[in-house]
């Protein structure tokens, strides 16, 4: 094995930052101080053993959710959320396509940023995972007993849904906010056809609270109109600060072009502190305005297993100018990025990406200042507090470009420094740096299992690095991103392992495996859990049916044959729906279904499940279909044929006519 | 960490095989005999170090190619090949969509089976990797300096392109064959609208040879008409057998329904031994018939970087009845699956999935029998040789369900036994088993680096297991498949590591990292290597242009801004093409581009590259676009706006009008 590493110097990067365009000054350095042998044993999960933690990593521009095991770093699975996924037909099959509907029509891709495990009493509970889509604002729910996306809610009156999905301590709400403000008049909030130059006059943002604790019933409970800044990240309060959520903003300059320069001028931007219980009270009391706001709500119907999409057309809006006591601005240096609340709920920490210190705000000081009405000024009805009155302290020398902070539950915080490529450990009470470790390269988020909750599980820290360069065997110009596993069980951080990550993991979450591993669903009980209207319970129920130019094939799959496996009477112009039920009731025996020339993906059908593939034949002839998942020693024999005749042909609709074929019937529903 | 493992018993599986439906009898067993500590050190690749081998694993029903490092088992990257891939816009962007065109129209998914690294003199050379698509028959080329798919060729007169992509020793050809025979008359080979019951009368297969050694110029050089069996797998001869290729077949029963039973009746099926030099000679001499055969040839234009698709409409066909000396049948027990040629090129080994022995054929005996014209019979002009005359030996007790064999170059062969879940090592000369090791569970293919070439690199063996069950933390009903890394450097095989694999890896290849790692392209030189007609070389060349209802935006991206970043004058009904050029010339600095509500994926643009995203706005208002790949500390500021006005609006087309904006011009091309 060759040894290589390149380290960007902080000074070089800092200088180049000023020029707005970075380059990398390089020098050799040791890759790790940890004994390789020790590290090897610490991360090795022997064959047959299991990882200690599930790690849930956002896929970033892949739109998906990556499941990794810790400490091995093994990539266990990709769960499709916002992007089509040919691997199992997600977003292609008739059953799942509705999950990707939006008010802009079908959107086959998304940019997934921040996964967040649901919480009870401020601690991850492993029921669901929420994750946001930035580009066409949406929030999704992933069920952590099936690892399937079960619900997607679009957020209206928003553009760039970055500051989500962050849950409140009992998962009452997922919060969200506009990263990109858009022209919305204060009356009806509709995106307006106005000059972009009129930004300062017309552009506004919204902060949204989405009811999240009822599966299948997510809704935008209320939106709060806020000034036309860029709202970036968020975290909910906890313990004493439960009932509040905190949102960073940048571009308080309200620039609409060349933000790189024009949004980096103010010495301080703001954290918006939102008293969501107060806002909830306003909303519950009917003190909000219903405004138009077309948005899709998509979910998997629990009874049928089919995804459904409905369009909702209005939303409740609150305005701080009309609804006081709901939002306060905390001045925060400088173009803040992450905002994190420590396990006690007392300290609110911002990562100012151009800041040279880390400000630590004290929640009780904030409340005190609010009660004293010690406001510096008012912006659009939002009182601005005084920085110095809120401050618990400032962390000096925290590295260049501090972005995100997580916690170990022992009184320490860990902050990523993007520009100086390091992680800095500091004492929260003393606001003093106690340890630092190099990362390769440029960490964005970091993650400690439970590290943003009231009771961190600790033990490991994962640096989610934005730049990879030479860390792995190169794979052409496009490299996957890089994570680094760091042992934080002792006083000094120790680098254990590099592992590549799919897409661009922004935030991540991790929970102990024992929390959910025994709750995993292995099959769907075909009798009690498959309510799909197109299912068959056995081979006798299979058959074929014509409804005008729609042909429905009710098909079964079991090791190792399909019924029916010979189909005739299809004509050009027909739309053929293959409804495939996997009759297996054993763990890990999926069957797949594909047919030649289909302009869609396969369907991968789990035991007891029914999935539908739509096929519009374009040629006449006889076309094979087959099982795409090697299911038994006779998997290769699991095939069939469908005949397509010209339009107007008189070939009768038939399935499995002929000798030695299992029963299948012509249905006349 | 918990310890779990379940082992399927051979007897249970064998009994259930007869019933055609497997279940799993379970018992506890030790997961590995290797010392965990030893194994941990052997597979650990310390931070900053590199893996020894690139492993290329087919994604199976994902349609993609997985890149893994060995011995770490780390998933380094997914290369999109046959399926759309939102992560980088593959198959969505205007530049790449043509790669997924077929004679059936746009096909967004494929089933990728067998990757094969190009060879020179029978040894992997690391230039390209070929991989087949089974469902809508295609072959793709991946460039191993960029890890990008650069060419896709559809194969006409085929259905189920399973027995590919296997290269000849100097990559002259990639071979392919019909897994599913289809009704083709011998005259014009067009898929016919006939009764499926007429299988024995009308259905035929084809074996295809695709010229592969000229990038961008793949073509079906000739097809050979063969009986209506299912052609399953292949390997080319080497050394003395160079010039021949071998294809397994099953369903010599010519069943068209319930193949599980009906295609498992004959005691022997056939290996088709194809003298491709002889066939090539016929083709070159014009002794083939040109028949209709519409098929797409797609490739990335080397000059422009844009994928192009053209339709070809005929193909050269040879018929063994007319062109003797080209194909021979080797009777082979029983429903053979894999066929593998040992490094000497002398031995041809079949995996009979229902066979109780492994037959080892001697190439010289085959040639001798052919020269003696010792034929048992003739099938459609193909002489059938006599099993016993070809045999070097039979391996007794090779495990149940032998499927595939690879070689270590030291005289040993390693065969997977699917049903008894083990790998069996045997002496090729003596045809005697010398070692066996359990796998978890049910291995399909296996892979030794270079293990199907003339000079295996040896050292490791990877079992590609079809069933995963409890090997990793469970992830709902759908589990990724499982690979196991086995040390074969000593006399006894030692299990080192389990690692999950994306999709369903069928075959795999591995080459030493040193063969290609220093040849990896890091950027595209924007001046000499970007011939994209929509590129800009600098910000002065950016601009916007209307052509009827098409609007073209020529945009640049560099840390951390787009030019233009404010665009007006778009109207409903317009089709907007964003041509984004990444001006960076540094390694690992991609920029991404996405715009709200687009009904397509982002584009991820490598340094020096231009990519095009097509957007058809559906609403009026102002919509943001942004960089999707965290590119610098000011990445969050890398955003812009595009204004959409109603149809008939008189808002003039404009980009970056206004103050403090970089130069951008209104073009009137």
């Amino acid at each position: 094995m060759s040894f290589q590493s390149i380290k960007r110097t902080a000074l070089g990067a800092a200088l180049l930052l000023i020029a707005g365009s970075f380059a990398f000054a390089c020098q050799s350095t040791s890759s790790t101080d940890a004994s390789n042998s020790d590290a090897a044993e610490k991360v090795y999960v022997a064959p047959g053993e299991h990882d200690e933690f599930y790690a849930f990593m956002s896929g970033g521009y892949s739109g998906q959710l990556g499941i990794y095991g810790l400490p091995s770093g093994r990539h266990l699975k990709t769960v499709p959320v916002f992007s089509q996924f040919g691997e199992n037909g997600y977003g292609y099959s008739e059953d799942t396509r509705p999950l990707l509907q939006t008010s802009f029509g079908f959107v086959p891709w998304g940019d997934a940023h921040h996964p967040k495990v649901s919480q009870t009493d401020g601690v991850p509970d492993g029921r669901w995972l929420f994750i946001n889509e930035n580009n066409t604002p949406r929030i999704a729910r992933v069920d952590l007993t099936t690892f399937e996306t079960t619900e997607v809610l679009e957020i209206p009156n928003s553009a760039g849904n970055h500051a989500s999905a962050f849950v409140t301590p009992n998962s009452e709400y997922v919060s969200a906010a506009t990263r990109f403000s858009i022209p919305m008049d204060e009356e009806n909030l509709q995106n307006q056809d106005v000059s972009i130059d009129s930004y300062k006059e017309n552009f506004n943002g919204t902060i949204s609270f989405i009811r999240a604790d009822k599966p299948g019933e997510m809704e935008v409970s209320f939106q709060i109109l806020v000034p036309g800044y860029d709202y970036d990240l968020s975290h909910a309060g906890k313990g004493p600060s439960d009932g509040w959520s905190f949102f960073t903003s940048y571009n308080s300059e309200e620039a609409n072009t060349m933000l790189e320069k024009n949004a980096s001028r103010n010495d301080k931007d703001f954290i918006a502190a939102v008293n969501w219980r107060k806002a909830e009270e306003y909303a519950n009391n009917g003190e909000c305005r219903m405004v138009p706001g077309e948005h899709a709500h998509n979910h998997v119907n629990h009874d049928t297993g089919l995804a459904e999409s409905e369009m909702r057309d209005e939303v409740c809006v609150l305005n701080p100018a009309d609804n006081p006591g709901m939002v306060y601005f905390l001045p925060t240096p400088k173009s803040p990025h992450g905002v994190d609340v420590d396990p006690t709920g007392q300290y609110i920490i911002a990562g100012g990406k151009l800041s040279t210190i880390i400000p630590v705000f004290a929640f009780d000081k904030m409340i005190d200042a609010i009660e004293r009405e010690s406001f510096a000024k008012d912006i659009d009805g939002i009182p601005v507090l005084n920085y110095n009155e809120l401050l618990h302290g400032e962390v000096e020398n925290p590295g260049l470009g501090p972005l995100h902070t997580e916690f170990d539950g022992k009184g320490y915080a860990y902050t990523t420094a993007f520009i100086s490529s390091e992680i800095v450990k500091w004492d929260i009470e003393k606001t003093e740096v106690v340890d630092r470790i190099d990362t390769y390269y440029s960490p964005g988020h970091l993650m400690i299992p439970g590290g943003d909750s009231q009771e961190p599980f600790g033990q490991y820290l994962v640096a989610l690095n934005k730049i990879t360069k030479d860390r792995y065997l190169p794979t052409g110009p496009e490299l996957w991103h890089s994570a680094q596993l760091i042992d934080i069980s002792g006083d000094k951080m120790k680098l254990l392992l590099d592992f590549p990550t799919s897409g661009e993991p922004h935030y991540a979450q991790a929970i102990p495996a024992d929390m959910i591993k025994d709750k995993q669903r292995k099959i769907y009980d075909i009798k009690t859990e498959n309510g799909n209207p197109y299912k068959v319970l056995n081979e006798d129920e299979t058959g074929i049916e014509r409804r005008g130019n729609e042909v429905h094939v009710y098909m079964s799959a079991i090791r190792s044959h399909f019924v029916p496996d010979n189909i005739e009477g299809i004509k050009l112009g027909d739309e053929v729906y293959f409804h495939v039920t996997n009759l297996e009731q054993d763990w890990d025996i999926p069957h797949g279904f594909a047919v030649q020339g289909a302009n869609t993906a396969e369907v991968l059908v789990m035991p007891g499940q029914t999935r539908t593939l739509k096929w519009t034949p374009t040629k006449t002839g006889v076309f094979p279909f087959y099982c795409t998942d090697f299911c038994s020693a006779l998997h290769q024999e699991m095939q069939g044929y469908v005949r397509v005749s010209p339009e107007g042909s008189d070939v009768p609709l038939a399935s499995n006519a002929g000798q030695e074929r299992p029963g299948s019937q012509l249905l006349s529903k």
Side-chain angles (χ1 to χ4, degrees), chain A:
Chain A
M1 294 172 216
S2 69
F3 173 86
Q4 302 184 20
S5 78
I6 300 172
K7 178 78 170 67
R8 198 148 45 105
T9 67
L11 179 62
L15 289 172
L16 286 157
L17 171 62
I18 293 159
S21 171
F22 302 168
F24 295 82
C26 299
Q27 62 179 53
S28 277
T29 180
S30 166
S31 65
T32 169
D33 295 319
S35 142
N36 278 358
S37 176
D38 278 2
E41 290 196 37
K42 278 186 177 161
V43 304
Y44 183 66
V45 178
E49 298 190 355
H50 285 178
D51 276 291
E52 290 167 84
F53 289 95
Y54 285 92
F56 306 101
M57 306 221 183
S58 79
Y61 47 71
S62 82
Q64 319 295 39
L65 177 69
I67 313 298
Y68 291 76
L70 298 181
S72 73
R74 293 180 296 187
H75 187 188
L76 301 177
K77 188 176 180 175
T78 296
V79 176
V81 183
F82 295 112
S83 296
Q84 291 181 303
F85 197 56
E87 185 167 317
N88 62 5
Y90 181 86
Y92 292 99
S93 73
E94 298 304 295
D95 331 87
T96 57
R97 274 184 69 89
L99 286 170
L100 301 185
Q101 283 296 330
T102 76
S103 65
F104 295 88
F106 182 80
V107 172
W109 171 85
D111 184 11
H113 275 249
H114 309 117
K116 185 84 182 176
V117 172
S118 57
Q119 293 190 352
T120 301
D121 295 333
V123 178
D125 61 20
R127 287 180 293 169
W128 314 298
L129 180 141
F130 301 99
I131 188 164
N132 64 318
E133 203 278 278
N134 189 54
N135 187 51
T136 301
R138 287 170 285 171
I139 300 280
R141 180 198 307 271
V142 175
D143 183 320
L144 290 184
T145 65
T146 60
F147 283 66
E148 289 177 358
T149 301
T150 55
E151 190 169 12
V152 180
L153 178 72
E154 190 179 2
I155 302 173
N157 308 320
S158 178
N161 175 43
H162 196 265
S164 63
F166 296 96
V167 299
T168 54
N170 284 293
S171 305
E172 300 96 333
Y173 295 102
V174 167
S175 60
T178 347
R179 174 157 145 220
F180 311 115
S181 283
I182 47 174
M184 296 186 286
D185 69 54
E186 296 190 10
E187 274 307 305
N188 71 22
L189 269 64
Q190 291 299 280
N191 195 332
Q192 293 178 288
D193 170 27
V194 298
S195 164
I196 303 166
D197 269 341
S198 72
Y199 190 102
K200 287 188 172 69
E201 181 186 344
N202 288 318
F203 283 49
N204 285 295
T206 52
I207 289 173
S208 304
F209 283 79
I210 289 123
R211 192 80 208 185
D213 51 2
K214 295 177 188 161
E217 298 177 32
M218 279 208 286
E219 63 171 10
V220 181
S221 295
F222 48 89
Q223 293 191 306
I224 300 171
L225 195 66
V226 285
Y229 308 156
D230 289 42
Y231 296 85
D232 205 9
L233 278 156
S234 176
H235 261 104
K238 57 190 75 150
S241 55
D242 184 12
W244 291 76
S245 284
F246 304 91
F247 298 82
T248 48
S249 70
Y250 60 101
N251 193 24
S252 57
E253 297 85 353
E254 298 188 86
N256 58 293
T257 181
M258 284 298 283
L259 267 64
E260 179 184 27
K261 281 192 290 187
N262 296 328
S264 302
R265 290 179 172 162
N266 290 347
D267 185 50
K268 291 195 173 61
D269 296 277
F270 300 106
I271 286 174
V274 176
N275 183 339
W276 60 258
R277 283 208 208 281
K278 185 78 182 167
E280 181 185 53
E281 190 183 309
Y282 282 128
N284 289 345
N285 291 343
E287 295 181 60
C288 63
R289 286 178 304 114
M290 296 307 292
V291 302
E294 192 188 29
H295 60 290
H297 175 251
N298 314 322
H299 81 288
V300 176
N301 181 307
H302 182 268
D303 295 327
T304 64
L306 300 176
E308 299 169 357
S309 178
E310 59 167 350
M311 210 58 72
R312 295 175 179 171
D313 55 13
E314 59 177 14
V315 65
C316 152
V317 170
L318 299 163
N319 189 332
D322 303 328
N323 306 99
M326 198 171 57
V327 187
Y328 300 88
F329 273 157
L330 287 53
T332 304
K334 177 176 182 171
S335 296
H337 189 51
V339 57
D340 301 284
V341 181
D342 89 312
T344 70
Q346 165 65 351
Y347 299 115
I348 300 124
I349 294 145
K353 53 196 191 245
L354 302 180
S355 170
T356 55
I357 54 94
I358 298 171
V360 181
F361 299 114
F363 179 74
D364 55 6
K365 292 188 179 182
M366 182 190 88
I367 294 297
D368 182 58
I370 291 170
E371 286 175 353
R372 289 186 291 107
E373 297 190 358
S374 176
F375 304 140
K377 59 178 175 178
D378 172 291
I379 301 175
D380 297 349
I382 300 172
V384 179
L385 302 169
N386 293 293
Y387 178 72
N388 287 326
E389 292 184 11
L390 311 173
L391 215 55
H392 164 64
E394 289 178 338
V395 183
E396 302 283 343
N397 194 18
L400 290 168
L403 294 186
H404 298 280
T405 301
E406 294 251 298
F407 309 93
D408 64 5
K410 300 173 183 170
Y412 296 102
Y414 300 74
T415 300
T416 50
F418 177 85
I419 297 171
S420 52
S421 290
E422 61 185 325
I423 286 171
V424 176
K425 175 180 178 180
W426 50 278
D427 183 304
I428 302 172
E429 278 301 328
K430 298 179 182 166
T431 61
E432 283 175 8
V433 171
V434 298
D435 190 24
R436 51 207 317 147
I437 191 169
D438 288 340
T439 59
Y440 307 87
Y441 306 92
S442 298
H445 282 270
L446 78 173
M447 179 272 285
I448 292 170
D452 64 343
S453 77
Q454 284 184 246
E455 294 177 16
F457 308 109
Q459 190 164 345
Y460 299 112
L461 181 156
V462 180
L464 299 166
N465 303 326
K466 296 298 187 185
I467 292 173
T468 302
K469 290 193 183 280
D470 59 350
R471 299 307 285 179
Y472 311 109
L473 290 178
T475 54
E478 188 182 335
L479 307 172
W480 270 9
H481 288 237
S482 175
Q484 294 189 291
L485 184 73
I486 294 167
D487 182 348
I488 59 166
S489 60
D491 288 342
K492 304 290 281 182
M493 293 181 277
K494 286 183 188 165
L495 178 58
L496 297 178
L497 179 72
D498 277 27
F499 61 98
T501 48
S502 171
E504 181 183 2
H506 295 275
Y507 200 30
Q509 298 266 281
I511 56 176
D514 289 342
M515 187 181 287
I516 62 168
K517 66 186 260 192
D518 294 334
K519 298 176 184 168
Q520 292 306 299
R521 183 177 292 266
K522 295 179 179 174
I523 64 163
Y524 295 95
D525 185 301
I526 196 167
K527 290 195 181 131
T528 63
E529 294 176 317
N530 181 343
N532 189 302
Y534 307 107
K535 76 171 170 182
V536 295
L537 284 172
N538 53 56
E539 294 180 357
D540 289 340
E541 293 186 7
T542 63
I544 186 167
E545 176 192 11
R546 174 178 288 282
R547 300 182 197 167
N549 74 333
E550 278 186 10
V551 176
H552 292 263
V553 181
Y554 305 94
M555 182 180 280
S556 66
I558 195 165
R559 281 164 290 182
S560 279
H561 57 274
F562 293 108
V563 178
D565 70 355
N566 281 194
I567 296 166
E568 305 201 342
I570 308 295
K571 294 177 247 186
L572 282 183
D574 284 346
E575 294 180 340
V576 183
Y577 293 84
F578 291 99
H579 307 291
V580 184
T581 300
N582 181 345
L583 297 179
E584 308 282 351
Q585 294 285 270
D586 282 351
W587 190 20
D588 197 21
I589 309 292
H591 292 288
F593 177 87
V595 58
Q596 185 175 8
N599 303 110
T600 187
E602 66 151 6
V603 287
L604 191 65
V605 193
M606 295 299 118
Q609 197 180 44
T610 303
R611 282 281 185 245
T612 297
L613 181 149
K614 179 182 173 183
W615 181 54
T616 308
T618 57
K619 299 183 185 185
T620 60
V622 177
F623 301 95
F625 53 82
Y626 68 102
C627 176
T628 55
D629 187 314
F630 206 101
C631 54
S632 79
L634 292 170
H635 157 76
Q636 292 293 87
E637 281 75 3
M638 191 163 175
Q639 65 170 76
Y641 286 104
V642 53
R643 175 182 177 187
V644 179
S645 302
E647 204 171 356
S649 154
D650 59 2
V651 174
L653 197 66
S655 67
N656 283 65
Q659 76 288 358
E660 292 193 72
R661 290 171 184 167
S664 178
Q665 47 189 320
L666 197 60
L667 303 173
S668 51
K669 280 180 185 167

